[in-house]
Amino acid sequence: MQGRPAQFLERGSAEVTGSPLATWLLEFAQRSENRGALVHWERLPARPARTGDLAEPLAPPLAGALAGRGIHHLYTHQVQAVEALRGGFDTVVVTGTASGKSLCYHLPVIERLMDDPQATALYLFPTKALAQDQLQSLSRLLQGHPDLAKRVAPGVYDGDTASGTRRKLRDHANLILSNPDMLHQGILPGHARWGRFFRNLKFVVIDEMHTYRGIFGSHVANVLRRLERVVRHFGGEFRYVLCSATIRNPGELAEALTGRDVRVVEDDGSPRGEKHFVFWNPPYLDDTKVERRSSNGEGCTLFAGLLAAGGQALAFTKSRVAAELVYRYARERLERTEPALAERIRPYRGGYLPEDRREIERALFSGELRGVVSTNALELGVDIGGLDAVVMIGAPPTLASAWQQAGRAGRQGEPSVAILVGYNETVDQYLMRHPEWFFGRSPEAAVVDPDNPYILAHQLACAAYELPLTAEDERIFGPQTAAILQALEAEGETRTIDGRSYWARAEFPAAKVNLRTISDNTYTIVDLTRQNAVIGNVDAISALELVYPEAIYLHEGETHFVRELDLEQKVAYVEPRQVDYYTQPVLDTQIRVREEHERREWRGESVRYGEVTYTWQTLAMKKIRFHSLDAIGYHPLALPRLTLETTGFWFAPGEAAWGAAARLGLNPVEGLSGVRNLFLTLLSIHTMCDPADLGGMIDSSNLGRPALFVFDRYPGGLGFSEQGYARLDEIARGALEHLRACECDGGCPSCVGMPLLRPAQQQDPDLAHGRGIPGKEAARVLLEHWVPGA
Amino acid sequence: MNAAGSLRERLALLARSRRSAFASPAVATELLSEGPLRPARGVGVEEFLPGGEHATARGTIYVHERLRSEIERPRPGWGSLSTPQNEAEEELAELAARGLGSVLFLDLETGGFASSPVFLAGTMHWNGCDFVIRQYFARHYGEEAALLAALAEETRGFRYLVTFNGKSYDVPFLAGRAVVHRVAIDFPAGHIDLLHPARRRWKGVLPNCRLQTLELHVCRRRRVGDVPSEEVPGLYHDFVHRGDPYRLIPVFHHNMMDVITMGEILRALCA
């Protein structure tokens, strides 16, 4: 299975019969100019479908509608899910992509709505776009039989819904699709108007459960607690159905989110064709072995080659810019070699208009489009059918993501190909050298902490506004409820009268609580040459890195010049312009101490805790020529600095620690980088947050010497780094243990390297100069200096 | 919610105590329990607004009651309605035919947002020789249910409810709060929202049809020192916290003037 590539290349031809694409790939890898690129070939065997029968068959309208879509049997996991829900159990379904997961909730819900004309159901999705997609696919299902369409009246209720429609949905709909942010700020605070809907609520569906992790997940868990409480007030009672991608701890996460005992259904009966999972490392440009060939270029060549070999393929990229570039390159290439195909590829990303995205999805599903180059926007949800091949240009940030993306390849029972192309940077190169790390690891665990006091305080305020809190609510919100309420009371936020705590301010608490760390503001992008037609949108933070004035903005592969960026109105004005370059933002990040609250002596170091301000700003832009990647210009820009005011701890290691490393010929700053990564990993484990909820950097500007800063990635802080400050010994000991236990030689993403990347900047990853993984030795020496004898 | 110093300190303490093996949790096992708030200086609204406690099935509330003739000199014929000039106003004509005695005027003061409480319900009705103004007042959040119950009783005797913008605001708001508190309110069969006939009559004639604009032109009365509506919720919360009625009195006054003005507008429309 996991053969060393050279052997495979010789022996391999027998193993790829039956798959024209795998055959093509093997032949391509064997060409002299590609020698050495193929570093791993994993053959995942096929598995047949396993179906089952329900104890009570589906009602004829439902069965008929399914048959109309070509579904004549249910897979084992679908049967188990339906039986569990019919039996009244809260259920979580954990299966891979294209396994028919949504039927696991559509079927029991539709059955119930048909049986009971008063019953209602609520579907929650992490994004508005997903809700819209699911409405489409649900509507298609319902159209399969007139009885279904008559009994089930679904509608999306979110920030974009017009007020007239909102009223109709509240009063008449029996199936509502929404998202947690809307539930938090719109629906729950106005619950009086939802009396009918809540009184009759029978099911709450939580799709893409694995996205509810870290800070976001902890907030959502509390929003669900508030939902349960309000529904109970109206006399309703419901079951949860959750759907998740594969993570290490699905049952645990489901229980933490819902507060209930949840039955886990993971017996995935969907068929899998044979999958050839290949790692491709672009060869060095020359014998100096310094630079490799462009990964975007390699990805593009593979993508185009797969299409030319007759396959339908999807290329995933790590950033929007990369998606545009790879599409552009692919189109140029195909125009030369296979002109008929050049028209049949498209780029895809979240910032395109919904109607454009729908069109691309539809065309992909029907086969009109042969290839799409996308960001991770196509990773979740949306049914595009199975494709023949997936090319991942750059490793996605988590294993779960990687398997989701690879999962897009594979039609029913047919063999498929997934190729991971590595960038010339840290984590990707580690994967290229150690594919066993990728295939051997189980996916990450998703962690939430709904009882984090800071989060709970925000959420209890919202709950008190909705209905006064009583001692009963301790059962829902946990044992700290009383203490937090006392704190809120002391601040005058609530007032307790006769054992009931009422919200006592003229403000609307939910408006000040953001479930996510980044705000949801969007900029629209309009084309000046087409009467300001809106061509796309982008979130406010990315806008300053993508459509800054004079930027070249790529849209559907075409170059557009940004004439103006209106910060007030949140509009970017662009016009198409033929240029042979694109632009890249030059970002500057800084951290400043705002106020020190405490300091303590720790192992000879003076550690401080307090308020810090983390800022980032687009300082300038670089012009980069297409293909050659030559930098042909650099221009300073005047754009606002974005700010995160939070809490954190910091210290600058003293002479003793520094000397310990230097004396052994090691670089102390490198060691400190490794320590930073270890501390973030350990801290996230100890404080039950997601590594993405923490930030860390090495900075010399505050204390005049290199200092390690660790902070919470949430305005105001949530107590994570505060705990780190209090428990440095534990963290340092844990870090040392972790480092020693790691079997790698000099360092790897599991220990001193960054195991999880930040969400990609709006950069072309090809241009990033990868710093190596910090040396393990240097980090070990520092840690042993601080906690000797550990 | 502002994360002021002491709140953060308490939360930090909690966060630390969660993990500490030794510290006993700094947690109270019961919520602070208080009876209805005692006013800070022993002076309650009753000092300024004569009335008394009113008992309902859901508890007691305070009712301030006045005769309009105590505030204004009675105008001739202020208790009678003529047929409206505009024949298209059928509902108004019916109401005028039945007489002013069939009408309950209503105006609410609330916390301002969807699930915030209603704390003051101003009503007015004609008792045959004078207008009776009754303001039902929840002295704290726990009395809202009683306020709703009292209103439910009050509305039963009338054929028409008259409001200003009540179709969009007051009635749905009350209905919502009634649902939350599980109080049954049967609104009167007829509801005249004066905003609509007022618009039909005075649009284009007056700069706008806001209540105080109509008050100025129809009643020839301009308010001085009236409390702005945005401040009303804050004043109520302050009162519940501190029990000081002084700053709340203008809210009662504002509500009373609104209800009286509605009476005048109805008379002007039925002239």
Side-chain angles (χ1 to χ4, degrees):
Chain A
M1 268 247 255
Q2 179 208 312
R4 277 207 249 112
Q7 289 176 316
F8 186 89
L9 288 177
E10 277 128 41
R11 195 190 67 226
S13 33
E15 312 220 356
V16 304
T17 48
S19 170
L21 293 186
T23 308
W24 171 83
L25 183 57
L26 182 58
E27 181 274 325
F28 184 70
Q30 286 169 331
R31 293 190 204 168
S32 61
E33 69 269 20
N34 292 329
R35 274 250 168 266
L38 192 151
V39 293
H40 187 78
W41 191 300
E42 186 94 7
R43 204 171 127 261
L44 303 162
R47 105 184 157 209
R50 283 177 304 122
T51 59
D53 292 308
L54 290 170
E56 286 281 328
L58 291 172
L62 251 185
L66 286 180
R69 299 192 68 73
I71 301 169
H72 301 279
H73 299 286
L74 292 181
Y75 299 130
T76 46
H77 58 282
Q78 291 168 330
V79 169
Q80 284 171 22
V82 174
E83 297 288 25
L85 287 158
R86 279 176 173 177
F89 294 97
D90 299 292
T91 306
V92 58
V93 184
V94 190
T95 54
T97 44
S99 57
K101 242 189 299 200
S102 33
L103 280 184
C104 294
Y105 54 80
H106 286 324
L107 294 179
V109 166
I110 295 175
E111 265 190 351
R112 190 56 170 280
L113 298 185
M114 304 236 325
D115 265 347
D116 178 357
Q118 305 294 329
T120 62
L122 177 66
Y123 285 13
L124 291 173
F125 301 93
T127 67
K128 293 194 276 195
L130 274 175
Q132 290 290 349
D133 291 338
Q134 281 296 342
L135 179 64
Q136 302 278 349
S137 69
L138 177 60
S139 302
R140 278 199 298 270
L141 179 63
L142 294 173
Q143 266 143 36
H145 195 289
D147 278 359
L148 294 181
K150 244 191 292 176
R151 298 290 195 85
V152 182
V156 167
Y157 191 105
D158 65 26
D160 295 338
T161 313
S163 52
T165 315
R166 288 189 195 195
R167 208 173 314 125
K168 269 189 241 163
L169 289 173
R170 281 195 304 260
D171 294 341
H172 302 293
N174 57 5
L175 205 170
I176 292 208
L177 298 87
S178 188
N179 59 71
D181 311 78
M182 189 62 183
L183 186 60
H184 157 67
Q185 272 195 347
I187 299 177
L188 286 173
H191 59 77
R193 292 183 273 189
W194 290 83
R196 171 202 72 96
F197 188 84
F198 283 153
R199 192 166 32 247
N200 298 297
L201 188 60
K202 301 298 175 201
F203 286 108
V204 172
V205 172
I206 313 264
D207 203 357
E208 313 290 0
M209 175 189 81
H210 56 284
T211 59
Y212 299 120
R213 61 201 296 162
I215 294 172
F216 181 46
S218 305
H219 269 296
V220 171
N222 278 290
V223 174
L224 292 177
R225 286 166 168 174
R226 283 158 53 198
L227 172 65
E228 178 133 16
R229 179 174 187 254
V230 165
V231 170
R232 209 179 292 167
H233 179 83
F234 284 109
E237 204 190 312
F238 59 89
R239 291 285 133 244
Y240 276 110
V241 193
L242 306 109
C243 282
S244 176
T246 319
I247 50 175
R248 196 181 311 169
N249 59 338
E252 202 177 76
L253 181 61
E255 290 180 7
L257 287 173
T258 62
R260 303 194 185 176
D261 285 324
V262 181
R263 183 173 280 199
V264 180
V265 170
E266 347 176 60
D267 187 15
D268 190 343
S270 59
R272 286 262 174 280
E274 182 179 61
K275 186 174 287 189
H276 299 271
F277 206 136
V278 169
F279 279 21
W280 186 277
N281 202 3
Y284 285 114
L285 277 175
D286 53 38
D287 283 333
T288 62
K289 298 211 175 185
V290 169
E291 276 199 50
R292 294 183 179 273
R293 294 207 298 238
S294 151
S295 309
N296 287 350
E298 294 291 293
C300 165
T301 306
L302 287 163
F303 177 66
L306 288 164
L307 294 179
Q312 197 187 24
L314 185 50
F316 279 106
T317 63
K318 274 161 50 167
S319 73
R320 291 162 227 211
V321 171
E324 297 282 354
L325 287 172
V326 171
Y327 163 74
R328 197 184 157 88
Y329 294 153
R331 198 186 60 206
E332 286 171 2
R333 189 193 185 84
L334 287 170
E335 273 163 3
R336 288 194 309 270
T337 59
E338 304 263 351
L341 278 176
E343 292 298 306
R344 299 173 75 188
I345 63 171
R346 291 283 290 281
Y348 181 103
R349 54 185 174 80
Y352 289 170
L353 299 176
E355 49 269 32
D356 294 336
R357 295 209 314 270
R358 294 296 86 75
E359 183 44 37
I360 297 172
E361 289 154 21
R362 191 204 57 74
L364 203 51
F365 192 91
S366 70
E368 282 161 54
L369 276 182
R370 301 303 298 163
V372 166
V373 184
S374 172
T375 58
N376 64 0
L378 263 186
E379 188 181 299
L380 292 178
V382 185
D383 190 5
I384 49 171
L387 298 155
D388 300 306
V390 162
V391 180
M392 295 180 276
I393 308 179
T398 63
L399 282 172
S401 270
W403 285 104
Q404 288 272 96
Q405 290 183 7
R408 285 299 199 185
R411 294 177 201 285
Q412 300 261 0
E414 299 295 312
S416 64
V417 169
I419 308 176
L420 174 60
V421 179
Y423 277 108
N424 191 13
E425 51 92 74
T426 305
V427 176
D428 284 16
Q429 285 305 309
Y430 183 82
L431 287 176
M432 297 289 118
R433 287 194 317 271
H434 299 275
E436 72 281 359
W437 187 87
F438 180 89
F439 289 101
R441 264 174 103 72
S442 40
E444 300 80 9
V447 173
V448 291
D449 183 17
D451 293 340
N452 174 304
Y454 299 92
I455 292 184
L456 200 48
H458 282 301
Q459 291 288 337
L460 279 174
C462 297
Y465 173 86
E466 283 151 15
L467 290 169
L469 290 159
T470 65
E472 292 255 313
D473 291 310
E474 192 127 326
R475 266 187 284 147
I476 306 182
F477 290 101
Q480 299 176 95
T481 303
I484 293 184
L485 268 180
Q486 272 190 339
L488 290 177
E489 191 103 354
E491 283 300 303
E493 312 266 315
T494 58
R495 180 122 212 132
T496 304
I497 301 173
D498 283 338
R500 306 164 79 86
S501 300
Y502 299 85
W503 180 248
R505 279 222 188 278
E507 287 142 13
F508 175 51
K512 300 221 179 136
V513 179
N514 205 329
L515 303 185
R516 303 167 200 253
T517 55
I518 325 168
S519 80
D520 213 357
N521 282 324
T522 40
Y523 275 63
T524 34
I525 304 172
V526 305
D527 186 339
L528 285 164
T529 63
R530 292 198 279 154
Q531 282 97 34
N532 285 2
V534 175
I535 58 172
N537 49 53
V538 64
D539 65 271
I541 296 184
S542 300
L544 298 174
E545 297 169 22
L546 205 59
V547 287
Y548 42 89
E550 306 208 14
I552 295 298
Y553 168 69
L554 289 166
H555 192 92
E556 308 234 358
E558 297 302 327
T559 47
H560 294 69
F561 180 77
V562 179
R563 289 277 295 271
E564 188 194 329
L565 179 65
D566 188 335
L567 297 166
E568 294 284 312
Q569 299 296 319
K570 300 209 166 27
V571 183
Y573 297 95
V574 307
E575 63 189 16
R577 193 184 279 198
Q578 294 289 340
V579 288
D580 65 348
Y581 67 90
Y582 60 105
T583 56
Q584 286 287 275
V586 177
L587 292 183
D588 172 58
T589 56
Q590 277 185 30
I591 191 148
R592 283 258 168 284
V593 171
R594 213 165 61 246
E595 194 184 320
E596 186 185 304
H597 285 322
E598 278 182 56
R599 74 166 66 174
R600 58 183 273 232
E601 284 297 300
W602 175 72
R603 308 286 182 168
E605 311 295 357
S606 170
V607 186
R608 325 286 174 85
Y609 169 74
E611 291 166 39
V612 296
T613 304
Y614 176 72
T615 64
W616 62 105
Q617 184 184 29
T618 303
L619 280 185
M621 74 167 170
K622 287 192 292 203
K623 292 183 178 174
I624 311 284
R625 186 159 278 143
F626 288 120
H627 299 293
S628 69
L629 304 186
D630 290 331
I632 56 175
Y634 180 98
H635 304 270
L637 293 168
L639 286 170
R641 191 165 264 282
L642 290 173
T643 303
L644 171 68
E645 296 194 348
T646 180
T647 54
F649 72 83
W650 62 95
F651 67 94
E655 303 257 345
W658 236 230
R663 232 170 324 207
L664 294 170
L666 298 166
N667 181 353
V669 178
E670 193 182 335
L672 197 56
S673 291
V675 166
R676 174 200 97 141
N677 298 337
L678 281 163
F679 271 21
L680 292 185
T681 307
L682 267 301
L683 190 55
S684 70
I685 294 173
H686 281 260
T687 58
M688 295 211 285
C689 68
D690 196 85
D693 297 335
L694 296 172
M697 46 191 288
I698 314 289
D699 166 87
S700 303
S701 66
N702 281 279
L703 297 178
R705 307 194 306 287
L708 171 61
F709 280 80
V710 172
F711 55 91
D712 297 359
R713 284 186 153 253
Y714 190 82
L718 287 174
F720 306 132
S721 48
E722 190 172 359
Q723 284 198 59
Y725 169 79
R727 297 158 67 187
L728 275 168
D729 249 19
E730 251 182 274
I731 307 279
R733 273 181 227 282
L736 194 48
E737 221 180 273
H738 188 90
L739 189 154
R740 283 177 180 155
C742 194
E743 290 159 11
C744 68
D745 292 329
C748 79
S750 295
C751 57
V752 288
M754 254 328 261
L756 287 176
L757 298 172
R758 287 283 166 281
Q761 308 274 12
Q762 303 318 316
Q763 313 247 8
D764 176 6
D766 247 352
L767 301 172
H769 297 295
R771 270 170 243 152
I773 293 186
K776 206 173 164 179
E777 243 345 83
R780 192 177 56 76
V781 167
L782 282 176
L783 286 168
E784 283 178 350
H785 170 84
W786 287 316
V787 285
Chain B
M1 190 182 87
N2 82 65
S6 60
L7 176 60
R8 284 206 72 81
E9 273 156 30
R10 282 170 172 256
L11 293 176
L13 201 63
L14 265 178
R16 264 170 253 165
S17 75
R18 278 178 95 196
R19 297 277 176 237
S20 167
F22 306 110
S24 52
V27 181
T29 48
E30 290 167 11
L31 295 174
L32 285 178
S33 194
E34 281 183 33
L37 195 63
R38 290 275 155 267
R41 289 189 263 158
V43 174
V45 287
E46 53 271 18
E47 289 295 308
F48 303 92
L49 306 167
E53 287 209 339
H54 176 80
T56 73
R58 300 294 297 267
T60 54
I61 46 159
Y62 187 79
V63 185
H64 164 231
E65 187 163 317
R66 275 219 211 254
L67 292 174
R68 188 173 165 190
S69 58
E70 293 168 30
I71 315 168
E72 288 190 317
R73 207 178 52 224
R75 325 258 173 104
W78 74 348
S80 60
L81 298 173
S82 320
T83 325
Q85 265 184 5
N86 185 349
E87 282 155 12
E89 301 282 5
E90 288 177 4
E91 250 196 307
L92 275 182
E94 257 185 57
L95 184 157
R98 278 192 205 257
L100 202 47
S102 63
V103 169
L104 182 71
F105 296 89
L106 176 70
D107 185 53
L108 303 179
E109 306 302 333
T110 72
F113 299 107
S115 288
S116 58
V118 51
F119 66 87
L120 182 62
T123 67
M124 183 171 83
H125 68 272
W126 174 253
N127 70 358
C129 51
D130 203 343
F131 286 96
V132 180
I133 297 168
R134 264 189 211 136
Q135 292 180 305
Y136 293 91
F137 174 57
R139 288 162 293 185
H140 58 76
Y141 314 114
E143 292 191 342
E144 192 190 5
L147 186 155
L148 295 167
L151 261 186
E153 275 171 43
E154 175 92 59
T155 55
R156 247 178 248 142
F158 298 91
R159 178 74 173 71
Y160 291 98
L161 191 65
V162 172
T163 63
F164 193 84
N165 196 28
K167 285 210 166 128
S168 309
Y169 184 71
D170 303 68
V171 171
F173 195 98
L174 269 183
R177 297 311 289 163
V179 163
V180 172
H181 284 284
R182 294 182 249 234
V183 171
I185 302 187
D186 289 317
F187 290 103
H191 177 187
I192 307 272
D193 180 339
L194 293 172
L195 175 60
H196 304 294
R199 274 203 186 125
R200 290 191 280 271
R201 168 82 171 262
W202 287 297
K203 186 167 172 199
V205 176
L206 295 179
N208 60 61
C209 284
R210 284 197 231 120
L211 186 66
Q212 293 202 18
T213 310
L214 295 170
E215 185 176 7
L216 181 59
H217 291 270
V218 175
C219 316
R220 303 202 186 285
R221 178 172 57 235
R222 184 196 293 275
R223 302 193 202 178
V224 178
D226 191 39
V227 58
S229 358
E230 326 70 88
E231 289 184 20
V232 168
L235 289 170
Y236 179 59
H237 290 298
D238 276 350
F239 172 76
V240 176
H241 280 297
R242 281 190 273 271
D244 177 352
Y246 287 112
R247 298 178 66 218
L248 200 60
I249 305 304
V251 177
F252 279 82
H253 186 78
H254 168 92
N255 179 264
M256 211 160 52
M257 296 317 299
D258 278 356
V259 140
I260 288 175
T261 301
M262 279 173 4
E264 287 297 294
I265 292 174
L266 180 64
R267 195 159 79 102
L269 286 170
C270 296

